[in-house]
Amino acid sequence: MEQKIHQGRNIKRFREMLGIKQEALAFDLGNEWNQKKISILEQKDVIEDGLLKQISSALRIPVEAFQNFDEEQAVNIISNTFNDQSNGYNYYPTFNVNPVEKWIEALEEIKRLNLELLKSKDEHIKALEKLLNMK
């Protein structure tokens, strides 16, 4: 048994995914369109090819998307593809970051930089004392 694709519902789904209001789509389709007419259009099972092409152009979605998209098949594909772990993707990643260790590492780096700064300062002082002794 072949399931019928509801083109109007597909238009509504894609329009909503794009965040476009019915009024905005009506505006893009021309003066003879309004929100109510779009609402009625989205309830139709089958939409004329010419009108599908206009809507396709306005939403920048291929006509075939409205003609072929079957939500039930899409849900089945998604659930069969992503609910098992066969794809190797870890949905519950484990982060092995210990904040205390990171804090200690940062403190060690600060100590190292301070020692370098002190060493540099001592060398600078010795150079200045040498200059003073020469005069």
Side-chain angles (χ1 to χ4, degrees):
M1 183 172 96
E2 186 175 318
Q3 185 171 349
K4 195 170 187 175
I5 293 176
H6 195 289
Q7 293 177 352
R9 198 173 303 132
N10 286 344
I11 290 171
K12 179 178 180 179
R13 283 190 186 101
F14 286 110
R15 177 185 57 75
E16 289 175 342
M17 281 190 268
L18 294 169
I20 297 172
K21 300 258 184 213
Q22 288 178 333
E23 296 87 0
L25 179 57
F27 179 81
D28 287 344
L29 292 177
N31 291 335
E32 66 276 0
W33 286 91
N34 58 36
Q35 181 272 324
K36 178 79 171 162
K37 203 169 174 182
I38 297 293
S39 180
I40 292 169
L41 172 80
E42 290 177 348
Q43 295 172 20
K44 286 184 165 185
D45 286 341
V46 179
I47 298 168
E48 306 80 42
D49 287 341
L51 184 52
L52 270 180
K53 287 179 184 174
Q54 281 184 288
I55 295 167
S56 169
S57 175
L59 294 178
R60 295 182 182 95
I61 293 177
V63 173
E64 294 78 16
F66 304 123
Q67 295 171 329
N68 301 327
F69 180 75
D70 182 359
E71 183 179 29
E72 188 173 317
Q73 284 181 346
V75 168
N76 285 338
I77 289 168
I78 291 169
S79 65
N80 290 335
T81 303
F82 297 113
N83 281 344
D84 64 2
Q85 296 297 316
S86 63
N87 60 5
Y89 183 78
N90 184 3
Y91 290 96
Y92 306 103
T94 305
F95 296 103
N96 293 322
V97 176
N98 185 343
V100 174
E101 285 178 12
K102 289 293 181 186
W103 184 66
I104 290 172
E105 286 175 17
L107 286 175
E108 293 298 324
E109 180 67 10
I110 290 170
K111 282 182 191 177
R112 186 187 66 76
L113 290 172
N114 277 336
L115 287 174
E116 284 182 27
L117 188 61
L118 286 172
K119 183 179 175 186
S120 172
K121 185 187 82 155
D122 288 342
E123 289 172 0
H124 191 70
I125 289 173
K126 285 180 184 175
L128 288 174
E129 286 176 345
K130 194 180 212 183
L131 282 173
L132 283 174
N133 289 337
M134 291 172 83
K135 289 187 176 190

